[in-house]
Amino acid sequence: MIHRNRNPATADTHAAPSVEMWSSCTTLVFTVVAVSNVSPVHVLEFCESADPDCSSHVDTASNNHPSAEPGQTRWKANILNLTQHLELFKLSCKKLIEALPVDEIDGNFVRTVKNCIFSRSNPTPLSGSLRLAAVSKDVIEGILDLDVAVTWSEDFLLYASGAKLLPGSAPLAHRYGGHQFGYWAGQLGDGRAHLLGQYLNRNGETWELQLKGSGKTPYSRFGDGRAVIRSSVREFLCSEAMHFLGVPTSRAASLIVSEEPVLRDQFYNGNVKTERGAVVLRLAKSWFRFGSLEILAENGEIDLLKKLLNFVIGEHFSWIHSDDPDKYLVFFSTVVTETAQLIAQWISVGFAHGVCNTDNFSLLSVTIDYGPFGFMDSYDPNFVPNASDDEGRYRIGAQAEVGLFNLEKLLVALSPVLTQGQKKQATIILKGYLDIYQMRLQQLFKDKLGFLGDEEEEEDDHLIVLLLKMMEDTRSDFTMTFRQLSEVSTNQLRSRNFTQMWALEDLSSHKLFSDWLIVYLQRLSRPQSESDLHRQQRMKRVNPRYVLRNWMAESAIRRAEESDFSEVELLHHILSSPFVTQDSAEVAGYAARPPLWANRLKVSCSS
């Protein structure tokens, strides 16, 4: 084993109109459902022998582990033209610093910051020994153009934990504000994150690298700038899992843990415990969020608001012409559409973000800031993953409504740069948000149920709504009900032969199931040209067998806190192919009925 040692507000009174689910049985319970990309991780435990049998114990989990033969690693790296030395890997902050103002005051002390987008802030190295707990080969090689073997080095531990700066890095902390649980919270900002710089990869993509848990910044408020193992494991695993579910998301490159003690009151009940510090190296095309614009509008920094908008549009919305007088309106329209579609995708996989504040909503409409999230077990539109959310504001069935609220706040932030006519148009655009959301959600659920064609829209809506109602009544498992409908043959459905299909057995106990099944089978028979096998294959491509359920994450966390990262590795590997049945996942029970103790789990904002 290699074990590296290193000691180095006012409440908002204008609530969004309700779009609660179940408001009308035909208006789709999509308003409803809504409203009422990776290789395995590698722990630093591997055999240094050239004996090919040496690493056979990990090959059962993945065929993507580095070969024990160094020549093979070099050969693969050369074929892919991957960088094998970290000193050749270069970042740049030049574009950001030249285009956007940086705080004139230096230092990591907490303060109110004005008239800038960033503050300079260096990471604070973690104390005690460091250990690489997890790494995403897909990110390291596929995005960062690095040979994954570089992650075994001492230098990688230092770079990816904040103890040493990569060439070209000039760390920055971003200033932003936000509405939290419906209230304006004022200045927030990167309180424990450091933007290391931008990387332009061989595919022409620019990615921003950021450390989370890397120490205090001017925006730390009352925090210590650290993150702990449990929250860092969740962020690492979920951001990668969401990518492979096909949901737009930030990515995670690595997870490094330390022996540094960090005090946390996990459930805010006075029970303070000592945990261990950890750092995630995460990536996104941009970390700008709704709150990035809100803080500028709120403080009357309108010239800077325009400057940031122009930069974001120029870098990430290149189809919008810089001289278009309606460019800000087109930008807003795009964000409205893509936010609606993103939340529909969340619902389609049973994902609840947990903290849908405006500072956690990306301007690029990707999922960011994984905190007290959760994937539903039993279908329940009132599922609340965040134990800190006493009122259920961010329950899974209200995410579309919250998205609308956040977009209203974004429009308020844009108002100073819009003409009166553009403001009226923007209001009309916003009114179309729910239709965009419903249309996308309807199509996603039609795909999940295997429906082809657009001629049966009214019947399809009825089948979807009734299925969800039956699932709610019987507390049927969300993920496995759809997955088992994908795996079962039409002959099994007709005979109601659900042997070893526990989710369908639960669903079939509903008094309306037989009637629903007759209509569902009739619908699947149209068009008649498709074979049942092809229908099953189509459905399995959109209905995952495995998602990161809270109990699975908790099991991995408990081991990780004892320095056993084997289940983190296993989950990372399995969740990189969530639509494929895997022996190791079946043995671990990841597609089985959740254990009883899963119902007692709580996740909070404390991290």
Side-chain angles (χ1 to χ4, degrees):
M1 178 181 78
I2 291 183
H3 188 87
R4 305 291 188 186
N5 291 316
R6 173 76 180 182
N7 290 309
T10 41
D12 190 284
T13 57
H14 303 288
S18 174
V19 286
E20 281 285 349
M21 211 169 165
W22 305 113
S23 55
S24 143
C25 215
T26 57
T27 302
L28 265 57
V29 191
F30 306 135
T31 316
V32 205
V33 193
V35 217
S36 129
N37 299 19
V38 183
S39 307
V41 295
H42 311 297
V43 262
L44 281 183
E45 294 184 13
F46 55 90
C47 183
E48 295 178 288
S49 166
D51 180 356
D53 293 331
C54 182
S55 61
S56 61
H57 66 288
V58 295
D59 290 340
T60 58
S62 168
N63 59 7
N64 291 311
H65 278 277
S67 169
E69 300 180 36
Q72 184 177 350
T73 298
R74 287 196 296 272
W75 178 79
K76 289 175 67 178
N78 289 336
I79 291 293
L80 297 173
N81 195 29
L82 299 176
T83 301
Q84 300 179 58
H85 302 286
L86 282 169
E87 60 268 23
L88 302 178
F89 181 82
K90 298 189 184 305
L91 299 177
S92 175
C93 293
K94 183 178 179 180
K95 183 180 289 185
L96 293 169
I97 292 174
E98 288 184 349
L100 301 168
V102 177
D103 188 4
E104 295 180 354
I105 303 174
D106 282 334
N108 277 356
F109 62 93
V110 175
R111 59 187 181 274
T112 299
V113 180
K114 300 282 189 180
N115 301 310
C116 68
I117 302 299
F118 297 107
S119 296
R120 297 184 189 276
S121 178
N122 285 328
T124 303
L126 289 161
S127 62
S129 61
L130 302 176
R131 182 171 176 182
L132 179 64
V135 63
S136 168
K137 184 179 178 184
D138 190 71
V139 173
I140 295 293
E141 294 192 345
I143 295 178
L144 298 180
D145 306 329
L146 288 167
D147 181 354
V148 74
V150 305
T151 64
W152 308 343
S153 68
E154 175 80 7
D155 274 348
F156 184 82
L157 280 178
L158 302 180
Y159 286 133
S161 66
K164 188 176 179 180
L165 295 182
L166 286 159
S169 177
L172 302 168
H174 175 40
R175 171 194 176 216
Y176 56 82
H179 281 81
Q180 298 191 329
F181 290 88
Y183 295 81
W184 174 246
Q187 176 180 293
L188 299 169
D190 290 333
R192 55 175 174 171
H194 292 82
L195 176 61
L196 299 179
Q198 295 179 314
Y199 176 69
L200 177 63
N201 69 16
R202 59 186 169 176
N203 297 320
E205 302 168 334
T206 299
W207 290 82
E208 294 181 1
L209 278 66
Q210 186 185 78
L211 297 178
K212 182 176 180 179
S214 45
K216 288 186 177 182
T217 76
Y219 309 101
S220 294
R221 294 180 289 166
F222 304 107
D224 57 15
R226 292 304 190 199
V228 295
I229 289 177
R230 59 182 162 81
S231 61
S232 301
V233 166
R234 287 170 58 82
E235 169 128 15
F236 178 87
L237 287 175
C238 198
S239 54
E240 290 303 280
M242 289 284 273
H243 169 72
F244 285 98
L245 286 171
V247 180
T249 179
S250 59
R251 304 294 303 275
S254 64
L255 166 62
I256 291 177
V257 302
S258 75
E259 298 300 323
E260 179 173 317
V262 178
L263 299 178
R264 288 290 182 269
D265 182 355
Q266 184 176 357
F267 297 111
Y268 307 107
N269 58 5
N271 187 18
V272 178
K273 293 183 178 180
T274 300
E275 303 185 49
R276 290 158 59 196
V279 171
V280 174
L281 173 58
R282 59 185 193 173
L283 294 75
K285 296 290 184 66
S286 172
W287 290 102
F288 290 127
R289 61 241 5 245
F290 289 14
S292 304
L293 303 177
E294 284 185 286
I295 191 73
L296 303 178
E298 184 73 21
N299 288 346
E301 300 169 32
I302 307 308
D303 288 342
L304 188 48
L305 174 65
K306 289 181 180 179
K307 181 174 287 190
L308 179 56
L309 275 167
N310 291 340
F311 178 82
V312 170
I313 291 170
E315 291 295 310
H316 305 290
F317 300 80
S318 57
W319 63 91
I320 302 177
H321 297 297
S322 60
D323 57 355
D324 184 346
D326 288 328
K327 61 183 177 182
Y328 302 138
L329 185 65
V330 177
F331 163 77
F332 179 67
S333 178
T334 303
V335 176
V336 168
T337 297
E338 294 184 351
T339 298
Q341 293 177 342
L342 175 65
I343 296 176
Q345 287 181 273
W346 288 355
I347 300 297
S348 74
V349 295
F351 175 80
H353 185 280
V355 192
C356 295
N357 299 327
T358 58
D359 54 292
N360 295 329
F361 264 46
S362 163
L363 289 175
L364 272 57
S365 302
V366 301
T367 315
I368 59 172
D369 294 348
Y370 290 91
F373 64 83
F375 286 87
M376 277 190 298
D377 290 332
S378 300
Y379 174 69
D380 178 5
N382 292 313
F383 169 63
V384 180
N386 182 1
S388 305
D389 184 4
D390 296 331
E391 297 180 359
R393 177 181 176 84
Y394 297 144
R395 64 192 179 279
I396 193 168
Q399 289 184 127
E401 181 178 359
V402 170
L404 179 59
F405 175 92
N406 290 351
L407 287 164
E408 288 181 334
K409 300 308 154 197
L410 178 61
L411 179 53
V412 171
L414 292 175
S415 291
V417 301
L418 300 176
T419 66
Q420 287 302 120
Q422 289 170 336
K423 290 176 186 177
K424 291 179 181 179
Q425 287 180 279
T427 300
I428 294 171
I429 289 169
L430 195 54
K431 287 180 179 178
Y433 161 83
L434 188 56
D435 289 338
I436 297 168
Y437 167 77
Q438 288 181 338
M439 287 177 61
R440 180 60 176 145
L441 195 63
Q442 179 190 41
Q443 187 57 57
L444 288 167
F445 273 82
K446 287 180 65 172
D447 293 343
K448 288 174 76 67
L449 284 174
F451 298 159
L452 293 174
D454 299 320
E455 301 80 19
E456 318 288 343
E457 186 169 317
E458 185 173 339
E459 181 183 68
D460 291 350
D461 292 351
H462 177 73
L463 282 166
I464 295 167
V465 170
L466 182 54
L467 173 62
L468 293 172
K469 179 59 176 167
M470 291 192 300
M471 289 171 65
E472 182 179 6
D473 291 346
T474 57
R475 297 195 58 76
S476 296
D477 190 86
F478 181 82
T479 299
M480 290 307 294
T481 296
F482 284 101
R483 178 66 184 196
Q484 290 176 1
L485 283 172
S486 308
E487 296 172 340
V488 71
S489 69
T490 52
N491 286 335
Q492 286 176 294
L493 283 171
R494 290 189 186 96
S495 64
R496 294 180 60 162
N497 177 13
F498 301 141
T499 304
Q500 296 184 334
M501 291 189 172
W502 55 273
L504 290 185
E505 285 184 348
D506 290 349
L507 181 68
S508 65
S509 67
H510 199 282
K511 62 182 180 181
L512 297 178
F513 178 76
S514 295
D515 293 337
W516 178 86
L517 184 59
I518 291 170
V519 181
Y520 179 60
L521 284 167
Q522 291 174 344
R523 178 64 179 89
L524 287 182
S525 69
R526 304 188 296 271
Q528 297 180 342
S529 58
E530 184 183 43
S531 70
D532 195 36
L533 178 61
H534 190 263
R535 186 269 306 171
Q536 290 172 305
Q537 291 172 338
R538 270 195 306 106
M539 291 177 65
K540 284 191 282 189
R541 285 196 292 267
V542 297
N543 288 308
R545 188 166 175 85
Y546 316 108
V547 293
L548 184 62
R549 298 172 186 263
N550 271 342
W551 74 265
M552 293 157 58
E554 180 65 19
S555 178
I557 288 166
R558 290 176 183 177
R559 292 188 180 188
E561 290 179 331
E562 299 298 325
S563 297
D564 175 0
F565 302 102
S566 59
E567 192 162 12
V568 174
E569 177 179 6
L570 177 64
L571 281 171
H572 188 195
H573 171 62
I574 288 167
L575 295 172
S576 69
S577 301
F579 302 100
V580 179
T581 302
Q582 301 168 60
D583 290 344
S584 56
E586 299 303 304
V587 170
Y590 293 156
R593 192 184 298 276
L596 293 177
W597 60 267
N599 293 326
R600 300 191 296 271
L601 283 177
K602 293 182 178 180
V603 184
S604 76
C605 289
S606 171
S607 59

